[in-house]
Structure formats: C-alpha cells, structure tokens
Amino acid sequence: DMFVELRGTKAGFKWTPGHYTIYGGDNGVLTDTSNAGEDKSWGHKNNIEHFYDCLLNGAKPKFTIDQGVDMIKILEAIYKSADTGKEIVL
C-alpha cells in the first residue's frame, strides 16, 4: 500500500489514499485524530492526494515550481522575522 508519513518532535501524520491520521498530544495525553466522517475539503489531505495522483497517474500539478519556491521564501522570511523581531522584505 502507498502511504505518506511525516514525523515531528510534537506530532506526526500518516496518509493512505482516502484516509489520514494525525498523532500528537494534548496537555500531556497522546491523541490520534482521524478523518473518519470529516469534511472531505481538508486542505492538507487534498494536497497529498493530488501529489499522489501526479506521481502515479500523471495528473497535471495544480501549482508551479515557482509557486513552491515562493512559498519556501515566505516561510523562511516568517521564521527569520520571528527570530529577529524585524520585518523581512522579499
């Protein structure tokens, strides 16, 4: 089976086609959140499913490489601004 799994220091995520689970914690208690019965428009799940569709079925990507690079620049600027307390001009 195809799946995507991401692990961080505070939470994790596992996706298989049509299903996802988020692992984390709330006030020191381990939690699992699943998409069973949830809104199908959840953004991250849709993005991962689209990526899967592009890789395995040749679907045309919704976003360009330039859009991805711009997003990374924006995220980097957010972190730099948070570290320095200053505005970052892109």
Side-chain angles (χ1 to χ4, degrees):
D1 285 336
M2 178 66 150
F3 70 93
V4 174
E5 189 168 12
L6 306 172
R7 298 179 188 181
T9 57
K10 296 182 181 181
F13 175 88
K14 184 172 182 179
W15 172 87
T16 57
H19 183 78
Y20 72 86
T21 303
I22 300 171
Y23 306 96
D26 185 19
N27 294 321
V29 177
L30 295 177
T31 60
D32 292 0
T33 304
S34 174
N35 69 325
E38 286 189 13
D39 181 3
K40 303 278 190 238
S41 65
W42 187 64
H44 292 303
K45 181 183 80 65
N46 290 341
N47 286 337
I48 291 169
E49 288 179 353
H50 175 63
F51 180 71
Y52 172 85
D53 194 30
C54 289
L55 290 178
L56 295 182
N57 302 321
K60 182 179 177 183
K62 294 178 184 176
F63 304 102
T64 67
I65 291 171
D66 290 337
Q67 288 171 312
V69 170
D70 288 345
M71 181 56 64
I72 296 299
K73 288 178 183 177
I74 291 168
L75 291 171
E76 185 178 335
I78 289 170
Y79 284 111
K80 188 172 182 180
S81 178
D83 287 343
T84 64
K86 298 179 181 177
E87 179 181 358
I88 306 299
V89 178
L90 298 178

